[in-house]
């Protein structure tokens, strides 16, 4: 009995002591000035992160009833910690004193999980967080912390459910990227569905497209997108109906722009946006601004659900907008985005994408961007996009592969309706006003026809490319007989090749293989061209007298050059240019006019429409340092023989050609005299050799003084029935042209070929081409058989 009584007293004392201790602890916690612990906390955290850390305001600990707990757990209070004016220091080289500042932080901790070494925090509230991010040119940055390593794994685990904050600020200064930006982030207040964001961004991007390519261009782009969406709607709908892919299907349907019915459960499971942001500053010395939305802060930790992002950013004159999702955003596993692009020139995408694209007119595109990030790079595809470039449409898919030593850009592009003038900026052939609009120096001299704008060969070395482009229908000047275009662009290690560059011309084709080696300075170029089956009447579609002409033009050219612009390449070119016409007819009026047979022209104009047969025609130019000298230029018909000599100078863009007509048959009232073509490419002059004409006129006047009938003698053209040796001439012309290596001149011709000499007439002794060889198959093809 005494033992029991003693045991009861001991137990009572233990309970009493425990109650006193608890009471004392509660009183201590409630009354203790926790600011006394700040030096200890500051020191420990500073040692852990390797940076100065300080709580400069009040540090408090309070108790609150738990929210959402039921039963007896609802009676266990949770501690609530709060701290004010927190700072995290920067390295001594940083411009700003603090890496991060925070006006206040407060959070509650669940008590019972502490017994299992679990720190469970339902939510952290941040007030006015501010972060400064800096990187120097040498690569040092202030966001890499030297965290002190622990002796072993910690027994404690942290579980954070939510982060809430009022307006935050992020500053980013990067000397490597030449970036200086400021971002403001804030909570949206309530979740925003991805479908609503998609709809709003689509409308904003369509309005932006109208500002760049015009309302009509934006309307046509919208129709292109609608047609593409209709084509993919069926497949998207079937994907959305699969139970296993409800969430992903709803996102894919929104990204692709297809109108697909989505179930209520899919809408609830679709990702939502929780944070909004705005951005301003400069990037690569270019003004930058933008806004967007992302998912909740802690949503980035969920690798099983797509993380939503939206951005609408303007960099200089380029605007980029995206809406979609990122899988595992911490590690950037994959992206699935709807992408809109607008800008003055596609070349302006280079500074912030690293993708080398040509100069273009103003453009706007819409498409689907998907990609997979990998440790050694990644693959990204802008698939089934549609766009407007100037007045042309553009459709296709492009794939970007991040690989070593250079990334690779591949794609297939199609333009169903191509404005020929939209190709001019690619080689700098657009107007000075157009150059100024796309940011290029308007340095094209008013008197020069060949573009002087230099190629950006430094960018060619940073990416490889393999792109095929087809222009199915070309809209151009009525006098330009071009119908379609195809080219295969291959760029590797700084060398650019267009093999082939093919135009449909006058019912035939003009095929060129162009190789530009930009890995050297200056650029080295080689060009080979073949003209096949060009119809005479289609070459001059606006000339009525040529519409009855028959026959085909076939030709070849081989040139090499050095220089960094089209003008300098032309000025340094060396090689040969050849052309043939066989088995054709041409208007007699043209032939009579060429010989200035005045009476015959008048008679033909009034009464005659007979065409004359072309026996043969040949042109052979040798090109030396940009100067084209005619070795052979002859046209033989049933009525006349015409020769030409002189040169075309690509350096100063001038012409100095003399045309010598030789009449076949008897002509009365002929002022037959040599013609000339002189002047510049932009201001050519065609006329009659005044000296020869004056001699004939003076002879007419002198004989007229002796006998009026004798005055007709100088106007009478005797017959010159000697035809060209067509077979020999054509055999010689069928030899393929040749070109020396870039930077070298053509070899000196080895004499005068008899056929060329006879073709040019006794008055014109032109040097002939070197010995020429051609296979029978190639000869048959050249002749157009």
């Amino acid at each position: 009995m005494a033992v029991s009584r003693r045991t009861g007293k001991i137990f009572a004392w233990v309970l009493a002591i425990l109650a006193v201790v608890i009471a004392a602890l509660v009183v201590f916690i409630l009354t203790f000035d926790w600011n006394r612990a700040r030096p200890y906390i500051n020191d420990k955290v500073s040692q852990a992160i390797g940076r100065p850390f300080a709580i400069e305001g009040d540090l408090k600990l309070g108790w609150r009833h738990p929210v959402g707990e039921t039963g007896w757990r609802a009676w266990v209070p949770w501690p609530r910690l709060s701290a004010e004016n927190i700072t995290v220091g920067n390295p001594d080289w940083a411009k700003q004193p603090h890496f991060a500042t925070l006006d206040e932080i407060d959070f509650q901790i669940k008590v019972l999980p502490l017994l299992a070494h679990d720190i469970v925090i339902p939510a952290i509230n941040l007030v006015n967080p501010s972060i400064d991010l800096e990187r120097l040119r040498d690569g040092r940055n202030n966001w890499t912390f030297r965290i002190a390593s622990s002796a072993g794994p910690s027994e404690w685990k942290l579980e954070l459910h939510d982060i809430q904050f009022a307006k935050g600020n992020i500053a980013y200064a990067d000397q490597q990227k030449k970036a200086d930006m400021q971002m403001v982030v804030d909570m949206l207040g309530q979740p925003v569905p991805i479908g609503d964001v998609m709809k709003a961004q689509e409308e904003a991007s369509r309005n932006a497209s109208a500002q760049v390519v015009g309302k009509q261009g934006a309307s046509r782009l919208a129709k292109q997108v609608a047609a593409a969406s209709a084509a993919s709607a069926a497949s998207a709908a079937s994907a959305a109906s699969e139970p296993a892919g409800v969430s992903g299907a709803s996102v894919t349907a929104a990204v692709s722009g297809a109108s697909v019915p989505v179930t209520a459960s899919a809408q609830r499971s679709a990702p939502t946006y929780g944070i909004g942001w705005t951005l301003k500053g400069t990037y690569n010395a270019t003004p930058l601004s933008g806004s967007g939305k992302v998912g909740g802060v802690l949503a980035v930790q969920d690798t099983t659900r797509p993380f939503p992002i939206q951005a609408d950013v303007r960099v200089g004159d380029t605007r980029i907008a995206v809406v979609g999702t990122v899988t595992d955003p911490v590690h950037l596993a994959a992206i699935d985005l709807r992408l809109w692009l607008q800008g003055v020139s596609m070349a302006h995408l280079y500074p912030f994408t690293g993708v080398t694209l040509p100069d273009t007119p103003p453009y706007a595109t819409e498409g689907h961007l998907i990609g997979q990030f990998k440790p050694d790079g990644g693959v990204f595809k802008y698939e089934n996009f549609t766009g407007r470039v100037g007045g042309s449409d553009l459709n296709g898919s492009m794939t970007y592969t991040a690989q070593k030593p250079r990334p690779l850009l591949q794609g297939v592009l199609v333009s169903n309706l191509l404005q020929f003038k939209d190709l001019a900026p690619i080689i700098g052939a657009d107007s000075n006003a157009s150059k100024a609009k796309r940011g290029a120096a308007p340095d094209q001299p008013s008197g020069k026809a060949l573009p002087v704008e230099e190629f950006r060969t430094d960018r060619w070395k940073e990416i490889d490319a393999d792109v095929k482009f087809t222009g199915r229908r070309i809209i151009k000047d009525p006098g330009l007989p071009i119908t379609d275009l195809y080219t295969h662009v291959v760029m590797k290690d700084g060398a650019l090749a267009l093999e082939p560059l093919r135009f449909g011309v006058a019912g035939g084709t003009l095929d060129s293989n162009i190789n530009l080696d930009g890995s050297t300075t200056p650029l080295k170029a080689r060009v080979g061209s073949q003209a096949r089956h060009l119809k005479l009447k289609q070459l001059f579609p606006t000339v009525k007298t040529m519409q009855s002409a028959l026959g085909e033009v076939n030709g070849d050219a081989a040139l090499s050059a050095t220089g960094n612009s089209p003008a300098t390449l032309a000025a340094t070119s060396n090689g040969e240019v050849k052309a043939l016409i066989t088995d054709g007819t041409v208007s007699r009026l043209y032939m009579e006019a060429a010989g200035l047979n005045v009476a015959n022209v008048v008679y033909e104009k009034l009464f005659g429409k007979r065409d004359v047969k072309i026996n043969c025609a040949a042109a052979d130019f040798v090109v030396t340092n940009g100067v084209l000298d005619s070795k052979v230029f002859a046209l033989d018909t049933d009525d006349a023989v015409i020769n030409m000599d002189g040169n075309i100078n690509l350096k100063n863009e001038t012409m100095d050609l003399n045309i010598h007509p030789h009449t076949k048959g008897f002509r009365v009232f002929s002022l037959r005299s040599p013609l000339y073509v002189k002047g510049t490419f932009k201001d050519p002059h065609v006329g009659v050799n005044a000296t020869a004409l004056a001699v004939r006129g003076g002879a007419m006047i002198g004989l007229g003084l002796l006998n009026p009938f004798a005055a007709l003698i100088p106007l009478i053209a005797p017959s010159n029935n000697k035809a060209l040796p067509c077979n020999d001439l054509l055999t010689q012309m069928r030899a393929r042209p040749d070109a020396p290596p870039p930077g070298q001149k053509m070899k000196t011709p080895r004499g005068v070929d008899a056929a060329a000499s006879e073709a040019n007439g006794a008055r014109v002794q032109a040097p002939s081409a070197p010995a020429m060889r051609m296979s029978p198959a190639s000869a048959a093809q050249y002749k157009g058989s």
Side-chain angles (χ1 to χ4, degrees):
M1 193 70 172
V3 175
S4 299
R5 196 177 297 115
R6 189 180 303 124
T7 303
K9 290 181 179 180
I10 294 174
F11 184 71
W13 276 105
V14 170
L15 289 177
I17 293 172
L18 182 61
V20 171
V21 170
I22 293 175
L25 182 62
V26 170
V27 172
F28 174 80
I29 292 175
L30 293 176
T31 61
F32 180 74
D33 184 5
W34 288 94
N35 288 318
R36 297 180 180 181
R38 286 186 308 178
Y40 175 81
I41 296 174
N42 292 344
D43 181 62
K44 289 298 181 180
V45 175
S46 298
Q47 292 180 23
I49 65 175
R51 297 273 185 88
F53 173 86
I55 300 175
E56 299 176 351
D58 285 340
L59 177 63
K60 299 178 182 179
L61 174 63
W63 295 86
R64 287 187 178 181
H65 287 291
V67 178
E69 295 287 356
T70 60
W72 63 270
R73 290 182 176 84
W75 293 92
V76 181
W78 291 352
R80 177 180 178 271
L81 296 172
S82 67
E84 297 177 352
N85 298 331
I86 300 173
T87 62
V88 179
N90 254 329
D92 54 7
W93 51 260
K95 292 183 179 180
Q96 300 298 327
H98 298 128
F99 169 77
T101 62
L102 188 63
D103 287 356
E104 183 180 357
I105 181 174
D106 70 82
F107 58 91
Q108 287 182 286
I109 301 176
K110 290 185 177 183
V111 172
L112 295 178
L114 294 175
L115 300 176
H117 292 170
D118 291 334
I119 303 175
V120 179
I121 301 176
I124 288 182
N125 298 309
L126 309 175
V127 179
N128 293 333
S130 180
I131 298 176
D132 169 70
L133 304 175
E134 298 182 40
R135 179 162 61 181
L136 300 181
R137 189 171 286 105
D138 59 13
R140 285 180 293 170
N141 66 72
N142 69 338
W143 57 81
T144 300
F145 287 79
R146 297 177 180 176
I147 305 297
S149 59
S150 59
S154 174
E155 296 180 356
W156 293 89
K157 293 186 298 182
L158 176 63
E159 184 178 332
L160 178 60
H161 292 173
D162 193 14
I163 296 179
Q164 299 176 353
F165 61 89
K167 183 181 296 185
N169 296 274
I170 301 174
Y172 177 64
D174 191 333
Q175 294 182 1
Q176 288 186 347
K177 301 292 185 180
K178 299 180 181 178
D180 190 358
M181 309 176 194
Q182 296 79 42
M183 177 182 287
V184 178
V185 295
D186 205 350
M187 304 294 292
L188 294 177
Q190 60 182 4
V192 180
I194 189 171
D196 294 349
V197 174
M198 179 72 69
K199 184 177 180 180
Q201 184 60 64
E202 184 176 77
E203 182 178 357
S205 293
R206 296 280 172 84
N207 292 334
S209 296
Q211 296 175 8
V212 175
V213 297
K215 292 183 178 180
Q216 187 177 18
S219 176
R220 291 176 176 175
L221 176 57
K223 292 179 181 178
Q224 293 172 223
V225 175
S229 296
S232 61
S235 60
S238 62
S241 65
E242 296 178 5
V246 170
S247 176
S250 63
V251 176
T252 302
V255 171
S256 65
S259 178
V260 180
V262 182
T263 64
S265 61
Q267 292 178 345
R268 288 193 299 269
S269 62
T272 57
Y273 297 90
I275 298 174
W277 55 267
T278 60
L279 178 69
K280 65 178 182 179
T282 60
Y283 182 86
N284 200 23
T286 303
L288 176 146
S289 62
S291 62
K293 302 174 183 66
V294 294
V297 176
L298 295 182
V300 299
Q301 298 178 351
D302 189 351
T303 60
T304 63
R305 286 174 54 86
F307 181 78
I309 63 172
Q310 179 264 328
D312 192 340
V313 178
R314 181 185 293 274
V315 185
D317 53 34
T318 300
R319 186 168 181 171
I320 304 173
V322 296
V323 176
T325 61
V326 177
T327 302
D328 191 8
V330 174
H331 303 95
L332 289 177
I335 58 174
D336 188 349
L337 306 170
R338 180 90 174 272
L339 171 63
W340 293 265
L341 296 171
Q342 300 100 18
V344 172
S345 172
M346 288 188 180
H348 294 180
L349 290 168
Y350 173 80
F352 44 92
T353 64
V355 178
T356 301
L357 296 172
D359 280 302
T360 66
Y363 69 93
T365 71
E366 297 185 25
H368 187 192
L369 178 65
I370 59 176
Q372 295 288 335
F373 293 88
K374 299 179 180 179
D376 56 348
V379 179
F380 308 91
K381 187 174 183 179
Y382 193 25
E383 63 177 7
N384 300 326
F385 72 86
T386 59
R388 305 291 301 180
V389 182
S392 308
D393 70 285
L394 185 65
N395 313 274
S397 295
M398 300 291 291
T399 301
Y400 177 88
T401 304
Q403 61 182 25
K404 298 296 183 180
R406 291 170 302 278
L408 174 63
L409 182 67
Q410 298 170 290
V412 177
L413 305 176
V414 176
S415 176
N416 295 304
L417 202 61
L418 174 64
Q419 292 274 8
F420 193 72
K421 64 181 180 181
D422 292 336
L423 299 175
I426 295 177
I427 58 172
D430 53 334
S431 64
N432 280 340
S434 175
K435 287 183 172 66
K437 188 174 182 180
R438 59 181 170 86
D443 55 359
Q444 182 69 21
S446 58
K448 288 190 70 67
L450 298 175
V452 300
E453 185 176 346
E454 294 190 351
F455 301 111
R456 295 189 175 102
T457 55
D458 56 321
R459 299 183 179 182
W460 298 4
K461 304 171 186 177
E462 298 184 15
I463 192 171
D464 292 342
D466 187 339
V467 179
K468 297 177 181 178
F469 174 78
T470 300
R472 290 176 176 167
R473 180 186 171 194
I474 294 180
I475 300 177
K476 77 292 181 188
D477 183 274
L480 192 64
I482 297 177
T483 56
D484 57 86
L485 164 66
Y486 170 79
T487 187
H488 184 190
V489 181
V490 177
M491 185 160 62
K492 188 172 184 180
D493 197 18
L496 175 64
L498 285 76
E499 295 183 341
L501 173 60
R502 177 180 301 140
F503 289 94
V505 180
T509 59
L510 177 61
D511 276 11
S512 299
N513 288 330
I514 302 175
N515 292 273
L516 307 176
D517 186 357
S519 63
T520 63
T521 302
L523 178 150
K524 295 181 179 179
R526 296 188 68 94
V527 179
S529 296
Q530 293 182 341
R532 293 293 181 267
H533 309 301
L534 275 59
K535 307 298 187 295
L536 274 176
K537 65 179 179 180
Q538 295 185 35
L539 278 172
F540 306 95
T542 60
V543 180
K544 291 183 179 180
T545 54
M546 290 299 293
Q547 297 313 298
S548 60
L550 300 177
E552 294 181 347
V553 178
N554 295 277
D556 285 281
L559 298 170
S560 62
T562 59
N564 288 341
S565 72
T568 54
L569 287 175
T572 60
S573 56
N574 292 276
E576 290 182 290
V577 179
K578 299 170 179 278
L580 290 173
I581 302 176
T582 57
D583 300 330
T585 62
V586 69
S587 169
R588 182 180 179 183
L589 178 61
Y590 260 43
M591 299 308 301
E592 297 293 355
L596 286 186
N597 300 308
V598 179
N600 298 70
V601 169
V602 173
Y603 176 83
E604 186 75 18
K605 194 75 173 177
L606 294 177
F607 308 107
K609 294 184 179 179
R610 181 177 67 84
D611 294 330
V612 296
K613 180 182 178 183
I614 299 176
N615 295 320
C616 64
D620 187 0
F621 289 88
V622 62
V623 187
T624 307
N625 283 345
V627 178
L628 284 76
D629 290 301
S630 61
K631 297 191 298 182
V632 175
F633 189 98
L635 173 64
D636 179 67
T637 73
D638 290 342
D639 284 7
V641 175
I642 298 177
N643 306 121
M644 184 182 76
D645 61 9
N647 63 67
I648 301 173
N649 193 321
L650 301 179
K651 286 184 177 180
N652 52 27
E653 300 187 6
T654 60
M655 298 176 288
D656 186 8
L657 301 172
N658 296 296
I659 302 170
H660 306 276
H662 306 282
T663 304
K664 287 184 179 181
F666 188 76
R667 293 291 186 275
V668 181
F669 300 117
S670 174
L671 294 177
R672 178 175 52 83
S673 182
L675 308 177
Y676 68 80
V677 181
K678 296 181 183 295
T680 65
F681 293 174
K682 299 197 73 171
D683 187 22
H685 301 284
V686 181
V688 182
N689 189 306
T691 303
L693 190 59
V695 170
R696 300 194 75 186
M700 179 186 71
I701 295 173
L703 292 175
L705 294 176
L706 299 177
N707 185 334
F709 292 100
L712 299 176
I713 295 176
L715 302 182
I716 297 175
S719 174
N720 180 6
N721 290 318
K722 188 174 184 181
L724 292 178
C726 286
N727 290 335
D728 294 341
L729 185 61
L730 296 182
T731 300
Q732 172 184 318
M733 290 297 296
R734 285 182 185 134
R736 294 291 186 189
D738 191 19
Q744 298 184 20
K745 297 181 181 179
M746 287 290 291
K747 294 181 180 180
T748 304
R750 294 177 292 181
V752 178
D753 184 270
S757 176
E758 197 166 355
N760 281 326
R763 296 184 184 88
V764 183
Q765 297 293 332
S768 68
M772 304 178 184
R773 297 179 297 276
M774 188 181 225
S775 68
S778 299
Q781 182 187 15
Y782 201 164
K783 187 175 180 181
S785 58

